[in-house]
Structure formats: structure tokens, C-alpha cells
Amino acid sequence: MKRFAQFVVLLVGIWLLTPLAGGQEAPPPGEPPLPSPEETLTFIETNLPENFENLQRLRQNEPEIFQHEIRGLGHMVRRYNELKRVAPELAAGFLRAQQLDARCRKTAEALRQAADETQKAQLRKQLEDMVNEIFDLRLAERELEVKNLERELNKIRTMLETRREAKAQIVERRLRDLTMEADEAMGWW
């Protein structure tokens, strides 16, 4: 019987670690699943058209790299959707940072290939402005994250203080539950 129980535990463990159908892994507890590749592509086509063209080329020419890229972008889409839900004011900034990042890559490529020093200086200035804006957008997101964590920490501290003050009552209630000395009038019928 013991070997059978071990075998069942092993099978359940393997099942939990096995990717779901469609090649997607189970999300960590409490996190929504990644969007499907098609949902991710639709989002990219609508919101990041510069990336969409490159993804379509990858899909045709390099399917393995495409799968890797679409999974990474799926994480980004999930993050955007989460921001839209919990901090709509930051969702637009997050999307703007993604758009700027795509433009930064193109501008950096143009800068590397520019021969004229005047053009290089202009491209470098554009790149610097975009990187500064991305930094500010990401900083605002982190600041909100800190505020949310502080709020949650304060709730936990308040709960701890309340429980500390009610320790005697909590311990007494637990003792009654364990020893089944609960008042019959207050019990579940």
C-alpha cells in the first residue's frame, strides 16, 4: 500500500510539472495564465505594430525563435492586463514604454549605421530622450508598486496588533475548540 501511495504522489508530481496542452506551462499559483499566441499577436498587431512585422517574419522563417519571442511577449501582455486591472493609470505608461523600446531599437540601429556625425548626434539625442522617458515611466510603475506593498504591510501590521491585543481570547477560543468544550448554545446544529 505504501508503494502505491508513493507511486500516486510521483504521478501527481509529474502531472503538475508537465506543460499544459498547447505547449504552455501552468502559471504560478495566483497568476493568470499567459495569453495564447494568437491573443498575444493580436495585442502586438494593435499596440506594437513595429514588433508585429518582425514577429510575422520570424513565424515564417524561424518558428522556434518565434515561439520563444511570443512567450516572452505573452508575459508582457499579461503584465499589461494586470496593470489595467489594478492600476489603470499606469497601464498606458507601460504600453508607451514598450512602444518607445521598439523605437529605441530602431534608432540605435540607425545610429550604429549612420556615417554623418550630425546625423549621429541627432539620433543619439532622440535615443537619449526616449530612454529618459522609458526610465521615468518604469520608475512611476515601481513607485506605485512600493506604495501598494506599504499599504499591504500596514494592513498586516494592524492585523498583528489586533491579534496581539486579543491573544487571550484567541487562545481561549482555540482551547475550547480543541477540547470540545464549546458552549452548546453557540454550536452548529
Side-chain angles (χ1 to χ4, degrees), residues 7 14 21 25 33 35 39 49-50 54 63 72 74 97 105 110 138-139 168 172 176 188:
F7 179 72
I14 291 171
E25 296 173 13
E39 291 169 324
E50 308 87 13
N54 293 335
R105 293 173 195 278
R138 290 185 178 164
L139 188 64
E172 183 59 34
R176 281 196 315 262
W188 191 264

Side-chain angles (χ1 to χ4, degrees), residues 156-170:
I156 293 170
R157 283 187 176 134
T158 301
M159 182 184 67
L160 281 174
E161 189 57 37
T162 301
R163 290 185 62 80
R164 186 175 287 118
E165 292 169 1
K167 177 183 176 183
Q169 295 151 315
I170 294 169

Side-chain angles (χ1 to χ4, degrees), residues 40-55 73 76-77 94-103:
T40 300
L41 273 176
T42 301
F43 179 90
I44 299 300
E45 182 178 22
T46 304
N47 297 292
L48 300 165
E50 308 87 13
N51 293 16
F52 182 74
E53 295 168 15
N54 293 335
L55 283 172
L73 290 168
M76 186 268 302
V77 172
F94 177 81
L95 189 56
R96 172 81 176 138
Q98 298 302 316
Q99 293 164 341
L100 282 171
D101 189 59
R103 284 184 44 208

Side-chain angles (χ1 to χ4, degrees), residues 183-189:
D183 184 359
E184 285 188 31
M186 300 298 284
W188 191 264
W189 291 8

Side-chain angles (χ1 to χ4, degrees), residues 79 90 94 137-149:
R79 175 72 176 143
L90 290 181
F94 177 81
L137 291 166
R138 290 185 178 164
L139 188 64
E141 187 180 337
R142 294 289 97 66
E143 287 171 344
L144 180 66
E145 193 175 331
V146 168
K147 285 180 186 176
N148 289 339
L149 288 170

Side-chain angles (χ1 to χ4, degrees), residues 125 127-137:
K125 174 68 173 127
L127 189 59
E128 183 180 352
D129 291 345
M130 287 187 284
V131 170
N132 274 313
E133 187 176 348
I134 291 170
F135 182 88
D136 292 340
L137 291 166

